[in-house]
Amino acid sequence: VVKDHDLNVGEQVEMQVDPYNRYRTMCNHSAIHLMYAALRQKLPGRVAQRGSFVNAQYLRFDMAYDEEISDEVLLEIETMTNQWIKQRHIVTTEELTLEEAKAKGAIAEFGEKYSSTVRVVSMGDVTIDLCGGTHVMNTFDIDSFALAGFESKGAGIFRFTGYTGEGI
């Protein structure tokens, strides 16, 4: 937040990250990775991410899938995500070549173009993803996950919204 400034090109500024907002964003971001892993396990066929958004308040995840998703399966996805949170999986990041990441089984989305070196985020043996975002150090840090919304956005695109920890 910059208030009442008279900055000129070339001037230096000191920036600070709000630790509370950063932590809550980390929880929501890491929860998306766990939820996406649960979606891949619970839904037969190809599940493909089509977008996501995280901030300190909530998470949103869009995905392409060709079939309806029952309330029972949604509850299973929420339950599985919470089980992984409680299992205290260590979250690690490492930089690997794209080939090394693929060999490890890392999930890459959007058909994006990646550089020869990529950042790989692993959450125990639950999921390995290419991701440049901020994450918790242990899934237990997330505390809990609640799937709060699910809607069809049309043409096989579904949107999930959720909350973690004290945001529930």
PDB file of all heavy atoms in Angstrom, residues 54-78:
ATOM      1  N   VAL A  54      -5.904 -17.350  -5.390  1.00  0.00           N
ATOM      2  CA  VAL A  54      -5.780 -17.430  -3.936  1.00  0.00           C
ATOM      3  C   VAL A  54      -5.483 -16.053  -3.385  1.00  0.00           C
ATOM      4  O   VAL A  54      -4.817 -15.235  -4.015  1.00  0.00           O
ATOM      5  CB  VAL A  54      -4.672 -18.408  -3.472  1.00  0.00           C
ATOM      6  CG1 VAL A  54      -5.014 -19.831  -3.794  1.00  0.00           C
ATOM      7  CG2 VAL A  54      -3.326 -18.037  -4.038  1.00  0.00           C
ATOM      8  N   ASN A  55      -6.017 -15.798  -2.214  1.00  0.00           N
ATOM      9  CA  ASN A  55      -5.628 -14.634  -1.432  1.00  0.00           C
ATOM     10  C   ASN A  55      -5.748 -15.033   0.027  1.00  0.00           C
ATOM     11  O   ASN A  55      -5.895 -16.211   0.342  1.00  0.00           O
ATOM     12  CB  ASN A  55      -6.456 -13.390  -1.810  1.00  0.00           C
ATOM     13  CG  ASN A  55      -7.925 -13.501  -1.467  1.00  0.00           C
ATOM     14  OD1 ASN A  55      -8.369 -14.369  -0.712  1.00  0.00           O
ATOM     15  ND2 ASN A  55      -8.719 -12.608  -2.041  1.00  0.00           N
ATOM     16  N   ALA A  56      -5.678 -14.079   0.915  1.00  0.00           N
ATOM     17  CA  ALA A  56      -5.710 -14.383   2.344  1.00  0.00           C
ATOM     18  C   ALA A  56      -7.080 -14.852   2.810  1.00  0.00           C
ATOM     19  O   ALA A  56      -7.193 -15.523   3.835  1.00  0.00           O
ATOM     20  CB  ALA A  56      -5.280 -13.158   3.149  1.00  0.00           C
ATOM     21  N   GLN A  57      -8.138 -14.525   2.062  1.00  0.00           N
ATOM     22  CA  GLN A  57      -9.493 -14.844   2.491  1.00  0.00           C
ATOM     23  C   GLN A  57     -10.000 -16.197   1.994  1.00  0.00           C
ATOM     24  O   GLN A  57     -10.680 -16.905   2.713  1.00  0.00           O
ATOM     25  CB  GLN A  57     -10.481 -13.764   2.036  1.00  0.00           C
ATOM     26  CG  GLN A  57     -10.341 -12.454   2.780  1.00  0.00           C
ATOM     27  CD  GLN A  57      -9.111 -11.666   2.358  1.00  0.00           C
ATOM     28  OE1 GLN A  57      -8.806 -11.542   1.179  1.00  0.00           O
ATOM     29  NE2 GLN A  57      -8.381 -11.148   3.333  1.00  0.00           N
ATOM     30  N   TYR A  58      -9.707 -16.560   0.742  1.00  0.00           N
ATOM     31  CA  TYR A  58     -10.293 -17.787   0.191  1.00  0.00           C
ATOM     32  C   TYR A  58      -9.476 -18.297  -0.987  1.00  0.00           C
ATOM     33  O   TYR A  58      -8.510 -17.676  -1.416  1.00  0.00           O
ATOM     34  CB  TYR A  58     -11.737 -17.543  -0.240  1.00  0.00           C
ATOM     35  CG  TYR A  58     -11.889 -16.694  -1.488  1.00  0.00           C
ATOM     36  CD1 TYR A  58     -12.140 -17.287  -2.720  1.00  0.00           C
ATOM     37  CD2 TYR A  58     -11.779 -15.311  -1.438  1.00  0.00           C
ATOM     38  CE1 TYR A  58     -12.268 -16.519  -3.868  1.00  0.00           C
ATOM     39  CE2 TYR A  58     -11.918 -14.538  -2.572  1.00  0.00           C
ATOM     40  CZ  TYR A  58     -12.163 -15.154  -3.792  1.00  0.00           C
ATOM     41  OH  TYR A  58     -12.288 -14.394  -4.926  1.00  0.00           O
ATOM     42  N   LEU A  59      -9.904 -19.442  -1.498  1.00  0.00           N
ATOM     43  CA  LEU A  59      -9.296 -20.023  -2.685  1.00  0.00           C
ATOM     44  C   LEU A  59     -10.380 -20.317  -3.714  1.00  0.00           C
ATOM     45  O   LEU A  59     -11.536 -20.556  -3.372  1.00  0.00           O
ATOM     46  CB  LEU A  59      -8.526 -21.299  -2.340  1.00  0.00           C
ATOM     47  CG  LEU A  59      -9.314 -22.460  -1.728  1.00  0.00           C
ATOM     48  CD1 LEU A  59      -9.849 -23.398  -2.786  1.00  0.00           C
ATOM     49  CD2 LEU A  59      -8.435 -23.216  -0.752  1.00  0.00           C
ATOM     50  N   ARG A  60      -9.970 -20.256  -4.978  1.00  0.00           N
ATOM     51  CA  ARG A  60     -10.886 -20.583  -6.071  1.00  0.00           C
ATOM     52  C   ARG A  60     -10.110 -21.433  -7.072  1.00  0.00           C
ATOM     53  O   ARG A  60      -8.951 -21.156  -7.375  1.00  0.00           O
ATOM     54  CB  ARG A  60     -11.383 -19.312  -6.740  1.00  0.00           C
ATOM     55  CG  ARG A  60     -12.398 -19.569  -7.847  1.00  0.00           C
ATOM     56  CD  ARG A  60     -12.869 -18.289  -8.480  1.00  0.00           C
ATOM     57  NE  ARG A  60     -11.793 -17.715  -9.264  1.00  0.00           N
ATOM     58  CZ  ARG A  60     -11.525 -16.418  -9.347  1.00  0.00           C
ATOM     59  NH1 ARG A  60     -12.234 -15.528  -8.682  1.00  0.00           N
ATOM     60  NH2 ARG A  60     -10.536 -15.984 -10.087  1.00  0.00           N
ATOM     61  N   PHE A  61     -10.768 -22.471  -7.584  1.00  0.00           N
ATOM     62  CA  PHE A  61     -10.119 -23.400  -8.504  1.00  0.00           C
ATOM     63  C   PHE A  61     -11.089 -23.761  -9.617  1.00  0.00           C
ATOM     64  O   PHE A  61     -12.211 -24.201  -9.347  1.00  0.00           O
ATOM     65  CB  PHE A  61      -9.709 -24.664  -7.736  1.00  0.00           C
ATOM     66  CG  PHE A  61      -8.992 -25.677  -8.564  1.00  0.00           C
ATOM     67  CD1 PHE A  61      -7.640 -25.557  -8.828  1.00  0.00           C
ATOM     68  CD2 PHE A  61      -9.670 -26.774  -9.070  1.00  0.00           C
ATOM     69  CE1 PHE A  61      -6.980 -26.502  -9.578  1.00  0.00           C
ATOM     70  CE2 PHE A  61      -9.017 -27.722  -9.835  1.00  0.00           C
ATOM     71  CZ  PHE A  61      -7.661 -27.593 -10.087  1.00  0.00           C
ATOM     72  N   ASP A  62     -10.677 -23.546 -10.857  1.00  0.00           N
ATOM     73  CA  ASP A  62     -11.491 -23.898 -12.012  1.00  0.00           C
ATOM     74  C   ASP A  62     -10.879 -25.111 -12.696  1.00  0.00           C
ATOM     75  O   ASP A  62      -9.656 -25.202 -12.836  1.00  0.00           O
ATOM     76  CB  ASP A  62     -11.545 -22.743 -13.012  1.00  0.00           C
ATOM     77  CG  ASP A  62     -12.275 -21.526 -12.468  1.00  0.00           C
ATOM     78  OD1 ASP A  62     -13.024 -21.659 -11.480  1.00  0.00           O
ATOM     79  OD2 ASP A  62     -12.096 -20.433 -13.038  1.00  0.00           O
ATOM     80  N   MET A  63     -11.755 -26.012 -13.137  1.00  0.00           N
ATOM     81  CA  MET A  63     -11.272 -27.238 -13.736  1.00  0.00           C
ATOM     82  C   MET A  63     -12.203 -27.700 -14.839  1.00  0.00           C
ATOM     83  O   MET A  63     -13.421 -27.489 -14.777  1.00  0.00           O
ATOM     84  CB  MET A  63     -11.114 -28.267 -12.633  1.00  0.00           C
ATOM     85  CG  MET A  63     -11.692 -29.585 -12.905  1.00  0.00           C
ATOM     86  SD  MET A  63     -11.690 -30.666 -11.501  1.00  0.00           S
ATOM     87  CE  MET A  63     -13.370 -31.172 -11.643  1.00  0.00           C
ATOM     88  N   ALA A  64     -11.623 -28.339 -15.836  1.00  0.00           N
ATOM     89  CA  ALA A  64     -12.398 -28.952 -16.915  1.00  0.00           C
ATOM     90  C   ALA A  64     -12.617 -30.419 -16.571  1.00  0.00           C
ATOM     91  O   ALA A  64     -11.681 -31.117 -16.159  1.00  0.00           O
ATOM     92  CB  ALA A  64     -11.653 -28.826 -18.238  1.00  0.00           C
ATOM     93  N   TYR A  65     -13.862 -30.855 -16.734  1.00  0.00           N
ATOM     94  CA  TYR A  65     -14.205 -32.256 -16.491  1.00  0.00           C
ATOM     95  C   TYR A  65     -15.492 -32.529 -17.243  1.00  0.00           C
ATOM     96  O   TYR A  65     -16.399 -31.688 -17.248  1.00  0.00           O
ATOM     97  CB  TYR A  65     -14.369 -32.517 -14.981  1.00  0.00           C
ATOM     98  CG  TYR A  65     -14.526 -33.968 -14.641  1.00  0.00           C
ATOM     99  CD1 TYR A  65     -13.480 -34.858 -14.834  1.00  0.00           C
ATOM    100  CD2 TYR A  65     -15.721 -34.451 -14.134  1.00  0.00           C
ATOM    101  CE1 TYR A  65     -13.618 -36.189 -14.527  1.00  0.00           C
ATOM    102  CE2 TYR A  65     -15.869 -35.789 -13.811  1.00  0.00           C
ATOM    103  CZ  TYR A  65     -14.813 -36.665 -14.016  1.00  0.00           C
ATOM    104  OH  TYR A  65     -14.961 -37.988 -13.716  1.00  0.00           O
ATOM    105  N   ASP A  66     -15.586 -33.694 -17.855  1.00  0.00           N
ATOM    106  CA  ASP A  66     -16.685 -33.967 -18.781  1.00  0.00           C
ATOM    107  C   ASP A  66     -17.934 -34.597 -18.163  1.00  0.00           C
ATOM    108  O   ASP A  66     -18.893 -34.854 -18.874  1.00  0.00           O
ATOM    109  CB  ASP A  66     -16.202 -34.864 -19.927  1.00  0.00           C
ATOM    110  CG  ASP A  66     -15.211 -34.141 -20.819  1.00  0.00           C
ATOM    111  OD1 ASP A  66     -15.300 -32.907 -20.933  1.00  0.00           O
ATOM    112  OD2 ASP A  66     -14.349 -34.822 -21.404  1.00  0.00           O
ATOM    113  N   GLU A  67     -17.923 -34.860 -16.868  1.00  0.00           N
ATOM    114  CA  GLU A  67     -19.072 -35.508 -16.237  1.00  0.00           C
ATOM    115  C   GLU A  67     -19.564 -34.696 -15.047  1.00  0.00           C
ATOM    116  O   GLU A  67     -18.854 -33.837 -14.537  1.00  0.00           O
ATOM    117  CB  GLU A  67     -18.684 -36.919 -15.772  1.00  0.00           C
ATOM    118  CG  GLU A  67     -18.245 -37.831 -16.900  1.00  0.00           C
ATOM    119  CD  GLU A  67     -17.780 -39.186 -16.397  1.00  0.00           C
ATOM    120  OE1 GLU A  67     -18.332 -39.663 -15.384  1.00  0.00           O
ATOM    121  OE2 GLU A  67     -16.868 -39.749 -17.007  1.00  0.00           O
ATOM    122  N   GLU A  68     -20.773 -34.999 -14.601  1.00  0.00           N
ATOM    123  CA  GLU A  68     -21.297 -34.368 -13.391  1.00  0.00           C
ATOM    124  C   GLU A  68     -20.531 -34.883 -12.178  1.00  0.00           C
ATOM    125  O   GLU A  68     -20.036 -36.004 -12.178  1.00  0.00           O
ATOM    126  CB  GLU A  68     -22.794 -34.668 -13.228  1.00  0.00           C
ATOM    127  CG  GLU A  68     -23.659 -33.972 -14.253  1.00  0.00           C
ATOM    128  CD  GLU A  68     -23.575 -32.458 -14.168  1.00  0.00           C
ATOM    129  OE1 GLU A  68     -23.627 -31.917 -13.051  1.00  0.00           O
ATOM    130  OE2 GLU A  68     -23.443 -31.825 -15.230  1.00  0.00           O
ATOM    131  N   ILE A  69     -20.476 -34.082 -11.135  1.00  0.00           N
ATOM    132  CA  ILE A  69     -19.788 -34.453  -9.909  1.00  0.00           C
ATOM    133  C   ILE A  69     -20.820 -34.445  -8.789  1.00  0.00           C
ATOM    134  O   ILE A  69     -21.452 -33.423  -8.526  1.00  0.00           O
ATOM    135  CB  ILE A  69     -18.633 -33.482  -9.600  1.00  0.00           C
ATOM    136  CG1 ILE A  69     -17.660 -33.440 -10.790  1.00  0.00           C
ATOM    137  CG2 ILE A  69     -17.916 -33.880  -8.315  1.00  0.00           C
ATOM    138  CD1 ILE A  69     -16.607 -32.365 -10.698  1.00  0.00           C
ATOM    139  N   SER A  70     -20.975 -35.584  -8.140  1.00  0.00           N
ATOM    140  CA  SER A  70     -22.020 -35.731  -7.117  1.00  0.00           C
ATOM    141  C   SER A  70     -21.608 -35.065  -5.809  1.00  0.00           C
ATOM    142  O   SER A  70     -20.423 -34.846  -5.537  1.00  0.00           O
ATOM    143  CB  SER A  70     -22.302 -37.214  -6.860  1.00  0.00           C
ATOM    144  OG  SER A  70     -21.199 -37.813  -6.196  1.00  0.00           O
ATOM    145  N   ASP A  71     -22.613 -34.788  -4.980  1.00  0.00           N
ATOM    146  CA  ASP A  71     -22.352 -34.237  -3.645  1.00  0.00           C
ATOM    147  C   ASP A  71     -21.512 -35.214  -2.824  1.00  0.00           C
ATOM    148  O   ASP A  71     -20.655 -34.794  -2.030  1.00  0.00           O
ATOM    149  CB  ASP A  71     -23.665 -33.955  -2.914  1.00  0.00           C
ATOM    150  CG  ASP A  71     -24.417 -32.775  -3.505  1.00  0.00           C
ATOM    151  OD1 ASP A  71     -23.809 -31.981  -4.259  1.00  0.00           O
ATOM    152  OD2 ASP A  71     -25.627 -32.648  -3.227  1.00  0.00           O
ATOM    153  N   GLU A  72     -21.740 -36.507  -3.009  1.00  0.00           N
ATOM    154  CA  GLU A  72     -20.981 -37.524  -2.285  1.00  0.00           C
ATOM    155  C   GLU A  72     -19.489 -37.424  -2.631  1.00  0.00           C
ATOM    156  O   GLU A  72     -18.632 -37.478  -1.741  1.00  0.00           O
ATOM    157  CB  GLU A  72     -21.503 -38.913  -2.632  1.00  0.00           C
ATOM    158  CG  GLU A  72     -20.761 -40.038  -1.942  1.00  0.00           C
ATOM    159  CD  GLU A  72     -21.288 -41.408  -2.346  1.00  0.00           C
ATOM    160  OE1 GLU A  72     -22.498 -41.542  -2.616  1.00  0.00           O
ATOM    161  OE2 GLU A  72     -20.466 -42.335  -2.383  1.00  0.00           O
ATOM    162  N   VAL A  73     -19.176 -37.268  -3.900  1.00  0.00           N
ATOM    163  CA  VAL A  73     -17.777 -37.148  -4.325  1.00  0.00           C
ATOM    164  C   VAL A  73     -17.173 -35.843  -3.803  1.00  0.00           C
ATOM    165  O   VAL A  73     -16.019 -35.818  -3.361  1.00  0.00           O
ATOM    166  CB  VAL A  73     -17.651 -37.258  -5.862  1.00  0.00           C
ATOM    167  CG1 VAL A  73     -16.255 -36.880  -6.332  1.00  0.00           C
ATOM    168  CG2 VAL A  73     -17.995 -38.669  -6.318  1.00  0.00           C
ATOM    169  N   LEU A  74     -17.936 -34.760  -3.807  1.00  0.00           N
ATOM    170  CA  LEU A  74     -17.434 -33.493  -3.270  1.00  0.00           C
ATOM    171  C   LEU A  74     -17.060 -33.636  -1.798  1.00  0.00           C
ATOM    172  O   LEU A  74     -16.021 -33.138  -1.360  1.00  0.00           O
ATOM    173  CB  LEU A  74     -18.472 -32.384  -3.449  1.00  0.00           C
ATOM    174  CG  LEU A  74     -18.753 -31.964  -4.887  1.00  0.00           C
ATOM    175  CD1 LEU A  74     -19.926 -30.984  -4.925  1.00  0.00           C
ATOM    176  CD2 LEU A  74     -17.516 -31.364  -5.538  1.00  0.00           C
ATOM    177  N   LEU A  75     -17.899 -34.339  -1.034  1.00  0.00           N
ATOM    178  CA  LEU A  75     -17.604 -34.577   0.383  1.00  0.00           C
ATOM    179  C   LEU A  75     -16.341 -35.429   0.527  1.00  0.00           C
ATOM    180  O   LEU A  75     -15.512 -35.179   1.402  1.00  0.00           O
ATOM    181  CB  LEU A  75     -18.796 -35.236   1.071  1.00  0.00           C
ATOM    182  CG  LEU A  75     -18.649 -35.487   2.566  1.00  0.00           C
ATOM    183  CD1 LEU A  75     -18.353 -34.191   3.316  1.00  0.00           C
ATOM    184  CD2 LEU A  75     -19.908 -36.140   3.115  1.00  0.00           C
ATOM    185  N   GLU A  76     -16.182 -36.431  -0.331  1.00  0.00           N
ATOM    186  CA  GLU A  76     -14.974 -37.266  -0.291  1.00  0.00           C
ATOM    187  C   GLU A  76     -13.724 -36.442  -0.594  1.00  0.00           C
ATOM    188  O   GLU A  76     -12.673 -36.654   0.019  1.00  0.00           O
ATOM    189  CB  GLU A  76     -15.098 -38.420  -1.285  1.00  0.00           C
ATOM    190  CG  GLU A  76     -16.125 -39.461  -0.886  1.00  0.00           C
ATOM    191  CD  GLU A  76     -16.360 -40.509  -1.975  1.00  0.00           C
ATOM    192  OE1 GLU A  76     -15.655 -40.496  -3.008  1.00  0.00           O
ATOM    193  OE2 GLU A  76     -17.264 -41.342  -1.784  1.00  0.00           O
ATOM    194  N   ILE A  77     -13.826 -35.517  -1.532  1.00  0.00           N
ATOM    195  CA  ILE A  77     -12.687 -34.658  -1.879  1.00  0.00           C
ATOM    196  C   ILE A  77     -12.318 -33.771  -0.695  1.00  0.00           C
ATOM    197  O   ILE A  77     -11.147 -33.634  -0.342  1.00  0.00           O
ATOM    198  CB  ILE A  77     -13.010 -33.831  -3.138  1.00  0.00           C
ATOM    199  CG1 ILE A  77     -13.040 -34.765  -4.352  1.00  0.00           C
ATOM    200  CG2 ILE A  77     -12.032 -32.682  -3.332  1.00  0.00           C
ATOM    201  CD1 ILE A  77     -13.722 -34.203  -5.566  1.00  0.00           C
ATOM    202  N   GLU A  78     -13.315 -33.184  -0.048  1.00  0.00           N
ATOM    203  CA  GLU A  78     -13.062 -32.354   1.128  1.00  0.00           C
ATOM    204  C   GLU A  78     -12.434 -33.190   2.248  1.00  0.00           C
ATOM    205  O   GLU A  78     -11.464 -32.769   2.889  1.00  0.00           O
ATOM    206  CB  GLU A  78     -14.363 -31.716   1.605  1.00  0.00           C
ATOM    207  CG  GLU A  78     -14.182 -30.812   2.806  1.00  0.00           C
ATOM    208  CD  GLU A  78     -15.498 -30.250   3.298  1.00  0.00           C
ATOM    209  OE1 GLU A  78     -16.332 -31.034   3.817  1.00  0.00           O
ATOM    210  OE2 GLU A  78     -15.697 -29.034   3.154  1.00  0.00           O
TER     211      GLU A  78
END
